[in-house]
Amino acid sequence: MDALLLQFFSLDVAITYFPKMLRGLWVTIQLAFFIVISGLSLGLGLSLLRALKNRLLNFAIIFFADLMRCLPPLTLMFIFFFAFPLIGIPLSGKVAAWLALSLVLAAFSEEIFWTAILSVDKGQWDAARATGLSFSYTIFDVILPQALRISIPPLTNRTIAITKGVALASAVAVPEMLGEAIAATSYSSNSTPLIMAAVGYLAIFFPLTLISQRIESRIRWSL
Amino acid sequence: MTLLQVSGLRKSFDETDVLKNIDLTIERGECVFIIGPSGSGKSTLLRCLNRLEEPDEGIIRLSGVEITGKVKDINRIRQKIGMVFQSFNLYPHLTALSNVTLALRRVQKLHRAEADIRGLEALGEVGLSDKAHSYPGTLSGGQQQRVAIARALALKPQLMLFDEPTSALDPELVGGVIDAIRELQAAGMTMVIVSHEMRFAREAANMVVFMDGGEIVERGSPTDVFENTSHPRVADFLKSFT
């Protein structure tokens, strides 16, 4: 029992690596924040473009979504980090990670938004168009509010998954939390930093799921 | 005075001709019932009148102005044509009042206060002023359908289209909706109603149009169609209701 406590819950190790872990947590939160903002916005934008039903545009969107959902995010990150400098576009590790994970989240969330838009009853479009609402008013006032509600649970899942994906960024030299924890674990030959990272993730995700439940219940209008 | 004139209207879905050369003239203030078996093209005809369905051929004129073909502002025209659907199609995330005022605010660009006044007026006309702030999910089917009527009325249309307005209602709720439509008729509204309520049609219609297989088989006064029809298809159809 003592051995376990010493290996996973050592106070000395925790104090030594606390500043590093805190910086790692901050990097993870920052990256996740920007990824979620840009990924979800791009995904929503693409799903709206898809609603325009332009054949060529839709082909491009579907191709993008399928590609980004299939490729390992790490591969994308490497391409941005190692290949782009060779064509004269040097990207920092953070930017490469942000770009890669944003694109992946955009692809997944585009599919989620689009499915939600499709699931809104066709009669809603009829009613809106019959009262003379334009396409954009129909989308923004009638369809989206209903679609967003349906989207929230799967979007929350995706947001959690992509935030965990930030851990991949250590591969392109970003000092995010999990990478720092693994490094600290090897330096100290002690697993406490991993537990600290776990606590850090919980600190990120518990509030996130709470917020998501809040939003969901807030817009539960029909009985 | 002619309000709506339909000539040579055709519409097909894939290989099926749903509407075959429809001609129809509706006078101002008239109440026209379209009856016929399911799949006869009644609803498609109605949906072509405000171009929720795009006709393949033919001309529709509203007050003499063509609304088919390359009409620039179909949304302006749609405001003059109210439509009520079988399944109400109220916006579930908006209150009854907001359902009614959305188009007033967005298309007619009224301020919220102005729109609310017009909205409450329209809800009053269908006897639902007290439900203005209720969400559709809390209303009965009959109340929802009356809100839907108010939503169309608030735009002060010249023509109202009803697509089986009572078909989705429990029998005891049909009366309230029919009363609301009757009051509209009394106020002089021009209406086209697709319905299976034969008794309502018999009492309220100025003209009854019987459709089958995408064509108008017979048209005339309720007496002509219900009592004295010479068409076997019409007689067969009516027999199924008695």
Side-chain angles (χ1 to χ4, degrees):
Chain A
M1 192 64 192
D2 277 357
L4 177 83
L5 281 179
L6 206 63
Q7 183 61 25
F8 284 89
F9 301 95
S10 157
L11 192 61
D12 286 345
V13 175
I15 290 169
T16 311
Y17 289 100
F18 186 74
K20 238 183 171 171
M21 293 302 299
L22 203 61
R23 276 199 296 275
L25 174 70
W26 180 234
V27 169
T28 297
I29 290 177
Q30 267 182 319
L31 255 180
F33 177 78
F34 288 113
I35 289 164
V36 168
I37 297 290
S38 48
L40 294 185
S41 318
L42 182 59
L44 180 61
L46 288 175
S47 71
L48 294 180
L49 283 179
R50 200 164 165 186
L52 289 172
K53 302 203 162 145
N54 176 303
R55 196 174 287 187
L56 200 70
L57 200 59
N58 281 6
F59 181 79
I61 293 170
I62 294 167
F63 179 75
F64 166 81
D66 287 349
L67 188 71
M68 291 299 150
R69 289 187 302 161
C70 294
L71 285 179
L74 191 58
T75 315
L76 276 175
M77 237 180 255
F78 275 15
I79 291 173
F80 290 132
F81 189 63
F82 293 114
F84 272 43
L86 302 180
I87 53 167
I89 312 171
L91 298 177
S92 72
K94 267 189 195 170
V95 171
W98 166 75
L99 199 56
L101 294 177
S102 294
L103 291 178
V104 172
L105 181 59
F108 277 102
S109 62
E110 183 277 326
E111 289 295 310
I112 291 171
F113 285 126
W114 176 242
T115 315
I117 288 173
L118 282 186
S119 73
V120 174
D121 187 70
K122 208 184 140 287
Q124 296 288 309
W125 290 88
D126 284 348
R129 302 314 299 276
T131 50
L133 290 183
S134 64
F135 176 81
S136 48
Y137 281 133
T138 302
I139 281 277
F140 286 107
D141 286 320
V142 177
I143 305 301
L144 259 195
Q146 301 180 55
L148 286 182
R149 189 180 73 138
I150 307 168
S151 316
I152 286 171
L155 284 179
T156 309
N157 287 343
R158 264 299 131 197
T159 300
I160 290 175
I162 211 78
T163 305
K164 285 183 187 162
V166 169
L168 296 170
S170 58
V172 288
V174 176
E176 53 71 45
M177 185 168 55
L178 193 62
E180 293 294 281
I182 291 170
T185 301
S186 354
Y187 288 140
S188 63
S189 306
N190 187 290
S191 307
T192 306
L194 282 179
I195 299 296
M196 296 168 79
V199 173
Y201 278 114
L202 290 182
I204 299 174
F205 292 134
F206 272 137
L208 188 76
T209 49
L210 278 180
I211 293 169
S212 141
Q213 280 166 12
R214 258 282 169 74
I215 301 176
E216 210 184 328
S217 61
R218 243 224 167 122
I219 50 180
R220 183 165 296 156
W221 53 81
S222 52
L223 297 175
Chain B
M1 261 243 304
T2 301
L3 179 67
L4 187 80
Q5 195 182 12
V6 179
S7 41
L9 197 69
R10 287 173 198 277
K11 173 75 186 173
S12 54
F13 292 115
D14 299 322
E15 302 290 284
T16 323
D17 295 330
V18 184
L19 296 177
K20 306 167 188 166
N21 200 16
I22 300 284
D23 294 307
L24 185 65
T25 304
I26 294 171
E27 303 298 321
R28 214 172 278 274
E30 245 184 347
C31 179
V32 176
F33 272 75
I34 304 178
I35 62 171
S38 55
S40 57
K42 312 181 294 286
S43 288
T44 306
L45 171 58
L46 208 64
R47 291 168 63 85
C48 281
L49 297 184
N50 65 353
R51 297 200 25 213
L52 281 185
E53 295 298 348
E54 207 53 52
D56 296 334
E57 267 179 62
I59 294 173
I60 301 171
R61 287 196 181 84
L62 185 72
S63 310
V65 181
E66 181 173 352
I67 63 170
T68 33
K70 284 212 165 104
V71 170
K72 259 198 210 142
D73 201 353
I74 185 64
N75 290 331
R76 278 257 151 259
I77 294 158
R78 283 187 176 138
Q79 306 237 309
K80 299 178 185 169
I81 307 175
M83 189 165 200
V84 174
F85 303 88
Q86 179 176 356
S87 45
F88 329 136
N89 299 351
L90 291 183
Y91 313 132
H93 58 298
L94 299 179
T95 62
L97 183 59
S98 295
N99 262 276
V100 175
T101 57
L102 182 64
L104 292 174
R105 286 180 284 131
R106 292 293 185 258
V107 195
Q108 300 196 347
K109 307 286 180 198
L110 296 186
H111 293 296
R112 178 140 228 155
E114 247 178 305
D116 281 354
I117 293 171
R118 288 254 304 260
L120 284 170
E121 215 174 81
L123 282 172
E125 283 176 52
V126 296
L128 287 175
S129 310
D130 56 325
K131 298 289 183 190
H133 300 291
S134 304
Y135 283 88
T138 66
L139 301 176
S140 75
Q143 289 169 333
Q144 288 191 50
Q145 192 60 299
R146 279 145 65 200
V147 173
I149 293 173
R151 176 170 67 184
L153 279 185
L155 296 165
K156 306 209 182 298
Q158 302 176 358
L159 172 69
M160 285 280 283
L161 309 175
F162 291 86
D163 191 2
E164 304 199 25
T166 58
S167 298
L169 295 175
D170 291 336
E172 76 270 21
L173 300 175
V174 170
V177 170
I178 287 184
D179 288 345
I181 298 175
R182 280 218 176 90
E183 272 173 44
L184 278 183
Q185 190 188 18
M189 178 64 73
T190 313
M191 299 190 279
V192 183
I193 304 173
V194 171
S195 180
H196 293 295
E197 294 287 331
M198 291 305 149
R199 194 157 13 127
F200 181 29
R202 208 181 287 240
E203 291 165 12
N206 303 102
M207 172 163 66
V208 177
V209 172
F210 179 87
M211 283 183 73
D212 192 13
E215 294 169 310
I216 294 179
V217 177
E218 186 171 24
R219 70 185 87 195
S221 69
T223 324
D224 290 344
V225 176
F226 288 114
E227 322 286 344
N228 308 321
T229 183
S230 52
H231 290 269
R233 275 193 279 178
V234 181
D236 272 354
F237 175 76
L238 290 174
K239 224 181 284 169
S240 65
F241 279 90
T242 48

